Amino acid sequence: MQKMRRILAVLLVLALVLSLAVACRTDDEPEVEATPEPVVESDDPSTEPEVTPEPEPEPNLMLTLSNYEYGVDYTALYEVYGADVTIADVIEDPMTGLCYIERDGNEYELGLDFLTMAMVYNTEATTDTYPTPNDVYAAWWRLYMQRWNYLVPEIPLYSNEYYDLYNAQIEGVVEHPTNPYWGPSDALIDWTSTKEDNGIIIGNTTALSGKFRYANFGSSNPGASDLDVQNLIHGLETIATTKEGGYEWNETVVAEHDEVINDDGSKTFTIKIHEDLVFSDGSPVTAKNYVVHTLVFSSPVAAQAAGRDHRSGMTVVGYDTYSGYTGVEAEGTTAYFSGLRLLDDYTFSVTISSDYIPYFYDITYAGFSATYLPLWLGEGGDIADDGEGCYIVSDTFYAAGDDGVYTTGADHIYASAWDTTDAYPYSGPYVVESYDETNQEATLVKNPNYKGNYEGTVPSIERVVYKRVISSTQLVDFQSGGLDVIAGITGGDETNEALALADASNGAYVYTHYSRAGYGKLGMRCDYGPVQFTEVRQAIAYCLDRARFATEFTGGYGGVVDGPYYTGSWMYQAAVEQGMILNSYATSLDSAIAVLEEGGWIYDAQGNPYESGVRYKKILAEEATENIINYRSQDGTYVTTFVDGDYYMPLALNWFGTTDNEFSDQLLTGFMNNDNIIAAGFVVQNQLGEFAVMLDELYQMQVYGYYSGTPMYCIFNFATGFTSAAYDYSYNMTVDPSMYDDYSAYYIKDAADIYWLS
């Protein structure tokens, strides 16, 4: 049985067809008024018209899902049927693009979780319609995109052209350009600098936090700048991402490799590394350095340190018993990670569970990078394998007090995750020389012992300064010599100004450009506030003039997309050829009101029929969660009310925007004070703050130390990218509570993914 999660088919196709039909009406089409029934006046009360009682809201089990136990009361639909479903089994509605399967005499709609899992795990070609795994992948991808477009868990607002501006003293940028898969931190290895210090200064508007050793530590969405620095100081990977956005074996690192499907359906990759690899301090790199990260970040010690359950080795045979090991032998646990083996000093193997095979991107299972052992294990820590699998050798790693807290091991991991010194050597083309936390500026110098990237290239630029810049002043900084590269310039005024500067520079400045694989968006916490309801997210999309917003923001250097895709990707182009159906959510106040009314936002704060102002939704008392009961607008004006035994939730959206950001500025009129938003019955209140503060409020935890402690915001503006060579959202739409906080991409649980066991 492949994987974990899924749910019962709720969202009725009839309601969907009606809502989409409303969406298709243009504003200049005539509206037909219903013919009123004649009113007969009489003094006889028996002849007074009968008042039709208001319909009770449909029971919503999703609101009370926390009252049920996963694996006992419900599980994931994919867990039940996923392993046996092929693309040939799927029935697609030709009007809506939604799809379902028939099993055991029942019809099950396929949700986001099912579709993202099938997209990468069910790609065997079984029909003439989709004759290759690529064709099957594209079909699942299209079905996922169509459901995503219906549920609209976030709202793309602009997808733009990116322009990178360079000081011409940085040479090679035209011959070795950036693209969506190959940013400046990747490309600079091919560039040279004719500056006096043989250096380069790179700017980014995303804040640095100093979490360079492991940018994902404690979160599922690393900051872009932290990730860039991480990529510069980490290397010697076994599987490389290529400039074209593909994957291949890194022959600079890997001397030999082998892969075999075992009798039980699992797959073993055996990897032998070259014996001349060294860290930045000259110490040798061995097979142990490739398995340590997986061992550490599959342990409860690392989970405690990070405040979340990093499951690095989740796909590896033996993960369940190893990850449960607390340092003390107990039934069902072991210190040995059986699927991870040390075969000799320079050879290791990893065996992937049959639950995760076949997998469309299975080469990534063999992707490991070299990590210095003391970074995560502390001095004296080691890795061994006596024939049963790899295990950690340490007197302190699992040491715990009577309260079960791993003080020594967890504290060391936490400190190492934020280490920006040379206390531990690096494996990438550069090492951190210094980090200025106040100015958010990292200075890196070349690693003289770096063997090269997957093409065997070593850097020639000696010094890299990576710093936070403010978009409104970055061109001034650039002209004064404080920057050599401004990457990802976007927005009409900003782009026009940058291009004019380069064109008038007499060759002092140059630029390159490419289409963005991603977009600026209104992101949502889809399990909190009004946006947990599909109709609210749809209504917001209908209220916004996304095309106009994109044109104004990009100055004509971009447009808008209707889903999480890059139009230049092969799967998008294949899906279009297959006939992908997407709703563009053309601006329509009528459509917004229609979906809100259909969703039950038909009341005022006292439970009376809605007439004007802010709408409210009736939620039965037995379905009202603590977050619903306590929900309020930021200023406290609009709160969930309690009337006649039930709750009424306000259509109040609390938005957290980032400061010094033109995107946030435009949202003040394009979203917060949008005439359609107000007329539809919304109220939007906002808070502006730093990016890290916003992320904490999104995560509803103190990843960066800023979370207020009380949930407040349900909408956030930032950007997202599809720059990974693997388009894989498996587990990111999970309904499994044990994985949800760590892996959920939008904090959404699709009702169609729930399968009730009783």
Side-chain angles (χ1 to χ4, degrees):
M1 193 179 293
Q2 293 191 36
K3 303 327 121 326
M4 317 146 84
R5 49 270 155 81
R6 336 320 145 175
I7 324 195
L8 126 329
V10 174
L11 309 171
L12 297 176
V13 173
L14 177 59
L16 171 64
V17 172
L18 290 175
S19 68
L20 292 180
V22 171
C24 293
R25 188 185 68 78
T26 59
D27 289 340
D28 58 358
E29 286 179 333
E31 292 190 47
V32 179
E33 295 185 4
T35 304
E37 294 291 331
V39 177
V40 179
E41 296 183 359
S42 171
D43 292 332
D44 183 357
S46 65
T47 64
E48 291 182 0
E50 183 178 345
V51 177
T52 303
E54 294 176 357
E56 285 293 313
E58 290 290 330
N60 190 339
L61 290 175
M62 293 300 292
L63 294 180
T64 58
L65 200 59
S66 61
N67 295 333
Y68 299 93
E69 184 177 352
Y70 184 83
V72 176
D73 301 306
Y74 73 99
T75 188
L77 183 67
Y78 187 86
E79 181 71 16
V80 178
Y81 295 119
D84 300 322
V85 171
T86 71
I87 195 65
D89 298 320
V90 178
I91 304 167
E92 181 179 356
D93 186 312
M95 291 184 61
T96 67
L98 302 184
C99 61
Y100 58 95
I101 57 173
E102 294 177 346
R103 286 292 186 273
D104 302 325
N106 296 308
E107 183 179 288
Y108 297 97
E109 194 167 17
L110 301 185
L112 293 176
D113 181 65
F114 193 106
L115 294 169
T116 52
M117 296 295 290
M119 186 196 307
V120 292
Y121 292 110
N122 299 49
T123 57
E124 183 180 358
T126 59
T127 69
D128 293 336
T129 305
Y130 306 116
T132 71
N134 276 20
D135 295 321
V136 177
Y137 175 93
W140 285 117
W141 186 92
R142 174 176 55 80
L143 295 171
Y144 160 69
M145 202 60 57
Q146 290 169 177
R147 184 158 190 87
W148 189 102
N149 175 260
Y150 168 67
L151 294 178
V152 64
E154 62 186 17
I155 301 176
L157 289 178
Y158 67 90
S159 184
N160 46 324
E161 290 288 304
Y162 265 159
Y163 286 80
D164 293 349
L165 184 65
Y166 302 93
N167 175 352
Q169 290 179 291
I170 307 303
E171 299 179 345
V173 297
V174 175
E175 297 81 4
H176 304 281
T178 54
N179 65 51
Y181 305 109
W182 198 250
S185 62
D186 303 300
L188 68 82
I189 198 168
D190 289 307
W191 301 341
T192 59
S193 173
T194 60
K195 294 174 63 178
E196 186 175 345
D197 66 348
N198 190 16
I200 185 172
I201 306 172
I202 299 176
N204 197 308
T205 56
T206 302
L208 292 118
S209 73
K211 199 166 53 171
F212 307 145
R213 296 285 188 172
Y214 185 22
N216 275 93
F217 181 79
S219 67
S220 58
N221 296 292
S225 292
D226 288 342
L227 195 58
D228 277 349
V229 176
Q230 173 185 289
N231 291 340
L232 286 165
I233 63 177
H234 286 68
L236 303 183
E237 66 279 3
T238 55
I239 302 297
T241 302
T242 68
K243 297 173 181 177
E244 297 77 25
Y247 290 112
E248 68 178 51
W249 288 94
N250 183 355
E251 295 182 358
T252 303
V253 169
V254 178
E256 300 174 19
H257 61 86
D258 181 52
E259 50 195 83
V260 61
I261 298 293
N262 303 307
D263 292 341
D264 63 358
S266 63
K267 186 170 186 175
T268 298
F269 294 88
T270 302
I271 304 165
K272 180 178 179 61
I273 62 171
H274 290 293
E275 299 182 12
D276 60 348
L277 305 177
V278 296
F279 287 104
S280 58
D281 65 350
S283 58
V285 173
T286 70
K288 292 179 180 180
N289 300 111
Y290 283 89
V291 300
V292 61
H293 186 277
T294 301
L295 285 166
V296 169
F297 286 97
S298 298
S299 75
V301 182
Q304 179 185 299
R308 67 188 299 270
D309 195 5
H310 285 292
R311 303 185 179 196
S312 178
M314 182 179 69
T315 61
V316 180
V317 168
Y319 170 80
D320 289 340
T321 53
Y322 173 79
S323 63
Y325 179 71
T326 63
V328 179
E329 291 290 346
E331 185 177 356
T333 71
T334 175
Y336 305 100
F337 204 150
S338 61
L340 206 56
R341 298 296 315 278
L342 289 174
L343 304 180
D344 61 40
D345 288 345
Y346 297 99
T347 308
F348 66 99
S349 70
V350 57
T351 299
I352 306 302
S353 168
S354 60
D355 286 348
Y356 304 89
I357 297 295
Y359 175 56
F360 190 73
Y361 297 106
D362 66 358
I363 190 175
T364 61
Y365 289 143
F368 293 81
S369 293
T371 303
Y372 193 64
L373 264 60
L375 175 67
W376 302 127
L377 298 180
E379 295 300 329
D382 200 359
I383 304 295
D385 184 347
D386 302 330
E388 298 180 58
C390 294
Y391 63 97
I392 293 172
V393 179
S394 172
D395 294 332
T396 59
F397 185 80
Y398 285 108
D402 294 337
D403 56 1
V405 175
Y406 303 104
T407 304
T408 305
D411 285 354
H412 175 78
I413 291 171
Y414 184 87
S416 291
W418 294 91
D419 177 74
T420 58
T421 72
D422 61 358
Y424 308 102
Y426 300 89
S427 60
Y430 290 90
V431 303
V432 177
E433 182 181 67
S434 64
Y435 174 60
D436 185 331
E437 183 176 359
T438 302
N439 295 321
Q440 296 184 32
E441 181 174 300
T443 300
L444 316 177
V445 295
K446 188 168 65 172
N447 172 7
N449 292 314
Y450 180 63
K451 187 178 179 182
N453 68 0
Y454 75 101
E455 295 180 320
T457 305
V458 296
S460 65
I461 295 177
E462 184 65 37
R463 180 178 299 272
V464 178
V465 175
Y466 197 109
K467 70 179 189 178
R468 166 83 183 282
V469 296
I470 306 302
S471 59
S472 60
T473 60
Q474 63 183 355
L475 280 181
V476 175
D477 199 8
F478 181 81
Q479 288 178 274
S480 68
L483 281 174
D484 295 311
V485 180
I486 304 178
I489 296 173
T490 188
D493 293 341
E494 195 173 307
T495 302
N496 287 331
E497 189 176 358
L499 299 186
L501 177 65
D503 291 340
S505 70
N506 292 321
Y509 310 133
V510 297
Y511 61 84
T512 61
H513 80 279
Y514 52 87
S515 296
R516 181 181 190 172
Y519 47 68
K521 66 183 181 182
L522 279 178
M524 303 185 198
R525 176 92 197 195
C526 293
D527 62 357
Y528 180 68
V531 300
Q532 67 190 283
F533 300 101
T534 300
E535 69 271 5
V536 172
R537 303 190 299 270
Q538 292 174 335
I540 296 170
Y542 281 127
C543 284
L544 304 181
D545 190 340
R546 296 190 305 129
R548 180 179 177 182
F549 189 102
T551 298
E552 291 180 352
F553 186 76
T554 67
Y557 297 105
V560 68
V561 294
D562 300 317
Y565 55 76
Y566 168 45
T567 57
S569 67
W570 71 268
M571 68 281 288
Y572 172 81
Q573 294 164 14
V576 169
E577 290 181 4
Q578 292 178 6
M580 183 162 59
I581 303 170
L582 298 179
N583 183 354
S584 66
Y585 289 95
T587 308
S588 170
L589 176 60
D590 290 344
S591 295
I593 292 173
V595 294
L596 287 173
E597 289 180 344
E598 185 181 345
W601 297 88
I602 56 175
Y603 302 98
D604 65 14
Q606 288 73 47
N608 300 314
Y610 173 80
E611 293 184 358
S612 63
V614 176
R615 293 179 181 271
Y616 284 71
K617 179 183 177 76
K618 182 178 182 178
I619 298 173
L620 301 178
E622 59 267 28
E623 296 174 348
T625 63
E626 182 179 351
N627 279 340
I628 288 175
I629 294 171
N630 296 325
Y631 189 75
R632 63 180 180 86
S633 64
Q634 186 190 32
D635 67 1
T637 300
Y638 305 96
V639 300
T640 297
T641 58
F642 185 67
V643 180
D644 295 333
D646 291 310
Y647 291 91
Y648 292 81
M649 185 182 200
L651 195 55
L653 306 177
N654 296 325
W655 159 47
F656 196 109
T658 51
T659 51
D660 296 318
N661 188 331
E662 291 182 5
F663 186 19
S664 299
D665 295 342
Q666 189 166 327
L667 284 169
L668 292 173
T669 53
F671 168 54
M672 183 174 176
N673 298 307
N674 179 293
D675 290 342
N676 287 341
I677 286 284
I678 296 169
F682 289 94
V683 63
V684 180
Q685 297 184 356
N686 81 318
Q687 172 68 44
L688 298 179
E690 292 291 323
F691 186 72
V693 182
M694 183 210 73
L695 287 179
D696 269 16
E697 294 295 333
L698 170 64
Y699 301 146
Q700 294 183 359
M701 63 175 62
Q702 291 201 14
V703 174
Y704 297 100
Y706 297 105
Y707 179 49
S708 63
T710 302
M712 174 62 69
Y713 303 96
C714 58
I715 293 189
F716 310 81
N717 65 280
F718 51 109
T720 194
F722 313 109
T723 57
S724 171
Y727 194 105
D728 177 3
Y729 279 87
S730 58
Y731 299 100
N732 291 140
M733 314 296 165
T734 183
V735 297
D736 182 345
S738 71
M739 305 176 70
Y740 178 76
D741 287 336
D742 295 332
Y743 289 93
S744 184
Y746 311 108
Y747 298 100
I748 191 170
K749 291 182 180 179
D750 188 340
D753 284 311
I754 298 291
Y755 181 91
W756 293 101
L757 297 172
S758 59

